[in-house]
Amino acid sequence: MKANRKHGGAVLTWAHSAAVSISVLALIGLVTLIAVRGLHHFWPAPVDEVRYAEADGSEILLYGQIREREFVPASRLGDGVPRADRLPDGAGTWRTLLKTGNRDLAGSDFRWIYDTGVISRAQPEDLAVLERREWGVFIGRLLQIDTSERSYGGAEAWPAFRHSLARSRELRGQIDELENDGIGKINYRLERLRVAERRLDLDPGGPDEALRREELRQERTLLQGEYSRIEQELAALYRALGRDSVLTETSNGQQTEVRLAAILDAWRPNTMDPVEKTGHFLRKLGQFLVDEPREANMEGGVFPAIYGTILMVFLMTVVVAPFGVMTAVYLHEYAGQNSFTRLVRITVSNMAGVPSIVYGVFGLGFFVYTLGGGIDRLFFDATLPAPTFGTGGLFWASLTMALLTLPVVIVSTEEGLTRIPRNIREGSLALGATQWETLRRTVLPMASPGIITGLILAVARAAGEVAPLMLVGVVKLAPSLPLDGNFPYQHLERKFMHLGFHIYDVGFQSPNVEAARPLVFATALLLIVVAVSLNLVAFHIRNGLRKKYRGLET
């Protein structure tokens, strides 16, 4: 009997080990897949020149980068497969997804081609990829560049183009600085003046009303003069930026002129060595992390979403930590074991099982409409009917997520308090300490690993939640960051972007699925990195506290 019981225990142990190993391997495989599919987007893939036979027998020339390949069995082959009669009976063929670019000219920047229709394939060195502000990338040949000094063609075109592109970036940087730091600040101050004048209209007749109105008028005049000066500088910069253009040629021989101001970057991947490709990869990855999104989030970077995610998690932690700890301390240290505390614990357990979208509805109704609307009526009446806090924003989203994760922190803190031996409390009280002094100086420090564990779980959940945020402040594209150079600098009432919602928007709301797919993987990988980084910081703090109080929990 004992031998059978021992054998059964060993089998159960091996089964648990196998289950854990399979789970770990599946997790590693999933993260690896996301990383490969996401990071491959930033690698400068070579541009193929493909001579291709259509199903009707005509031949065309295609320029494109290979995005993916898949095998098509014979049962899925349709009538559009070129030269399908050359395939053996019952045989399938491979097809390739080419990123051909030039969406503004061809209507689509991706195309599937079958191996049966490929006549020839080459990688000419003069094929270039131009990253544009709109319409995605352009793939083709650079024929000529026209600058304010002269025109360059032939072998001189590409070096002259690179030089002019660098100058264009400098001009664009000056324009962005004037528009954001100059025009943006002036518009913000003009809006403040409008609100101040509105307050005087709502409450007229004050002793200093005439003087105050004259001060506002003089300040408005100064701001309008500064605005006109910056506008003149911007006009001069835009004229300088719009002088240069390039003449390009597509695969079908169509020539088109592209303004240099519309081009962000350009490269010839077929001439790049591994070192240059690695440098290009790192540069594009860095731009993805620090740039703003473009073209309905299908191009550009995700910095606003990174900033919004981290700031929301930080604010949520600041709110949920004290309330969760205080509730757990009251239930465990002060409240008696009666029907009221049992009801509170049941409520907390039930809160943990409530769907997250319900918290979003509550946050919209209570935080946004009730509290936010009340704040607007009390302190921002001059801006009404335009809401300030009476609409979704970063602060209300953080409070909603704090309420969502509150049960996790309460339960983890109570478990940490339960692990503290009773004799430690009794020893502290025997030495003359009060219950509050014992709690503050002995019990809570020793229970801090459990508290940090609850915060780790709260951060992990908050970083990935999307449904409640869609109701209380997250948006597809925020016009500006919640942080700027205008007082109070950090604007918690503003709407914000979130990595989780960005993944949803790009993956399911994008008009160009093929272009958006690699960005979904890249953003998902970034969200994993952000969540893991936040958790690693919490793990480090928790392990340090465990080492400090090791040996006391016996």
Side-chain angles (χ1 to χ4, degrees):
M1 180 69 70
K2 291 183 179 181
N4 293 335
R5 191 176 303 164
K6 183 177 180 181
H7 178 72
V11 171
L12 188 61
T13 301
W14 279 103
H16 287 170
S17 301
V20 171
S21 300
I22 293 173
S23 301
V24 171
L25 290 176
L27 179 61
I28 294 175
L30 176 62
V31 174
T32 302
L33 173 65
I34 294 174
V36 171
R37 297 293 296 270
L39 296 178
H40 179 72
H41 173 69
F42 306 104
W43 187 260
V47 179
D48 289 355
E49 181 184 70
V50 181
R51 189 166 297 280
Y52 187 71
E54 295 277 28
D56 59 2
S58 61
E59 294 185 6
I60 60 173
L61 192 66
L62 297 173
Y63 300 154
Q65 298 170 307
I66 296 178
R67 177 59 63 86
E68 63 179 79
R69 282 176 58 82
E70 68 177 22
F71 183 78
V72 183
S75 58
R76 289 176 50 197
L77 292 179
D79 298 333
V81 180
R83 300 192 289 186
D85 55 331
R86 301 186 181 185
L87 290 173
D89 292 339
T93 184
W94 287 86
R95 69 173 184 171
T96 303
L97 180 63
L98 280 184
K99 182 178 181 180
T100 56
N102 311 338
R103 187 165 68 244
D104 54 332
L105 302 176
S108 174
D109 48 0
F110 287 88
R111 170 162 183 173
W112 285 101
I113 62 172
Y114 292 87
D115 286 3
T116 54
V118 175
I119 301 173
S120 64
R121 189 190 300 267
Q123 294 181 352
E125 294 185 350
D126 60 342
L127 290 180
V129 179
L130 308 183
E131 182 181 358
R132 301 177 293 180
R133 293 185 176 274
E134 297 178 348
W135 300 108
V137 300
F138 174 90
I139 299 179
R141 284 185 167 87
L142 182 68
L143 301 180
Q144 178 180 303
I145 176 170
D146 297 322
T147 67
S148 56
E149 295 84 12
R150 51 168 292 200
S151 297
Y152 300 87
E156 295 180 328
W158 183 254
F161 168 72
R162 298 291 297 176
H163 176 75
S164 297
L165 185 59
R167 178 175 172 272
S168 174
R169 291 197 190 112
E170 294 178 2
L171 292 175
R172 175 58 65 179
Q174 298 176 23
I175 290 173
D176 291 341
E177 183 177 357
L178 284 176
E179 290 179 342
N180 296 329
D181 297 338
I183 297 294
K185 289 184 177 180
I186 291 176
N187 286 333
Y188 180 80
R189 294 172 63 183
L190 287 173
E191 176 62 19
R192 297 293 294 268
L193 289 179
R194 187 194 68 80
V195 173
E197 292 173 346
R198 172 66 175 162
R199 287 198 177 98
L200 291 177
D201 294 336
L202 292 174
D203 188 18
D208 299 329
E209 179 183 355
L211 178 61
R212 180 58 178 159
R213 287 187 183 276
E214 179 62 22
E215 291 176 351
L216 294 176
R217 186 191 66 80
Q218 293 178 1
E219 186 175 356
R220 180 181 295 277
T221 301
L222 292 175
L223 290 176
Q224 289 175 344
E226 182 68 13
Y227 192 95
S228 299
R229 184 188 64 81
I230 296 178
E231 272 192 327
Q232 293 176 1
E233 294 184 20
L234 284 173
L237 289 173
Y238 273 114
R239 284 194 298 270
L241 184 64
R243 288 181 303 187
D244 300 346
S245 63
V246 292
L247 183 65
T248 58
E249 183 182 57
T250 63
S251 59
N252 60 4
Q254 180 180 356
Q255 295 185 2
T256 180
E257 185 179 20
V258 182
R259 309 302 298 181
L260 206 64
I263 301 175
L264 295 172
D265 199 1
W267 60 95
R268 284 179 168 176
N270 295 344
T271 63
M272 300 170 68
D273 57 34
V275 175
E276 292 174 331
K277 288 186 176 182
T278 302
H280 177 93
F281 169 81
L282 296 176
R283 180 162 54 86
K284 288 301 177 185
L285 183 59
Q287 292 175 358
F288 177 72
L289 298 178
V290 302
D291 285 352
E292 296 183 353
R294 307 187 312 272
E295 294 199 66
N297 294 336
M298 292 189 302
E299 301 286 345
V302 292
F303 177 74
I306 298 174
Y307 183 84
T309 303
I310 295 177
L311 184 59
M312 187 211 67
V313 170
F314 174 77
L315 292 175
M316 178 217 69
T317 305
V318 170
V319 174
V320 75
F323 283 98
V325 172
M326 286 190 297
T327 304
V329 168
Y330 170 77
L331 291 175
H332 192 272
E333 301 291 331
Y334 290 96
Q337 300 301 317
N338 50 42
S339 58
F340 174 74
T341 55
R342 286 194 294 272
L343 178 62
V344 171
R345 286 192 171 91
I346 292 173
T347 302
V348 170
S349 300
N350 289 334
M351 285 178 63
V354 174
S356 61
I357 190 64
V358 176
Y359 286 96
V361 174
F362 175 83
L364 179 66
F366 180 71
F367 292 137
V368 177
Y369 292 155
T370 303
L371 292 184
I375 292 174
D376 282 354
R377 288 188 294 272
L378 288 176
F379 303 104
F380 300 95
D381 57 326
T383 64
L384 294 175
T388 302
F389 279 92
T391 183
L394 180 61
F395 185 58
W396 303 133
S398 301
L399 290 184
T400 302
M401 297 309 297
L403 189 63
L404 174 66
T405 56
L406 183 62
V408 177
V409 178
I410 294 175
V411 172
S412 298
T413 302
E414 268 209 275
E415 292 178 353
L417 293 172
T418 305
R419 295 178 59 188
I420 308 302
R422 186 173 182 80
N423 56 12
I424 291 181
R425 295 180 175 84
E426 294 174 349
S428 176
L429 296 173
L431 292 174
T434 63
Q435 184 178 7
W436 168 244
E437 290 173 337
T438 300
L439 183 66
R440 181 168 60 90
R441 298 183 178 180
T442 304
V443 177
L444 282 180
M446 294 178 62
S448 55
I451 298 174
I452 300 299
T453 299
L455 292 179
I456 291 173
L457 297 175
V459 166
R461 183 172 184 184
E465 282 289 351
V466 176
L469 299 179
M470 296 170 64
L471 300 176
V472 291
V474 73
V475 291
K476 171 187 179 75
L477 186 62
S480 60
L481 283 176
L483 177 69
D484 58 24
N486 301 313
F487 183 82
Y489 310 116
Q490 185 64 68
H491 305 273
L492 301 183
E493 77 281 2
R494 290 183 181 175
K495 297 184 182 297
F496 68 104
M497 296 181 66
H498 186 273
L499 286 172
F501 183 76
H502 189 79
I503 294 172
Y504 162 77
D505 177 71
V506 174
F508 297 97
Q509 304 295 320
S510 174
N512 192 339
V513 177
E514 299 296 345
R517 186 182 301 169
L519 291 179
V520 172
F521 287 104
T523 310
L525 176 64
L526 182 58
L527 179 59
I528 293 173
V529 171
V530 169
V532 170
S533 300
L534 293 173
N535 286 330
L536 286 178
V537 173
F539 276 128
H540 178 72
I541 297 174
R542 185 186 66 178
N543 292 337
L545 293 172
R546 280 182 173 175
K547 290 180 181 179
K548 183 177 181 179
Y549 298 105
R550 181 178 296 170
L552 295 179
E553 300 179 9
T554 57

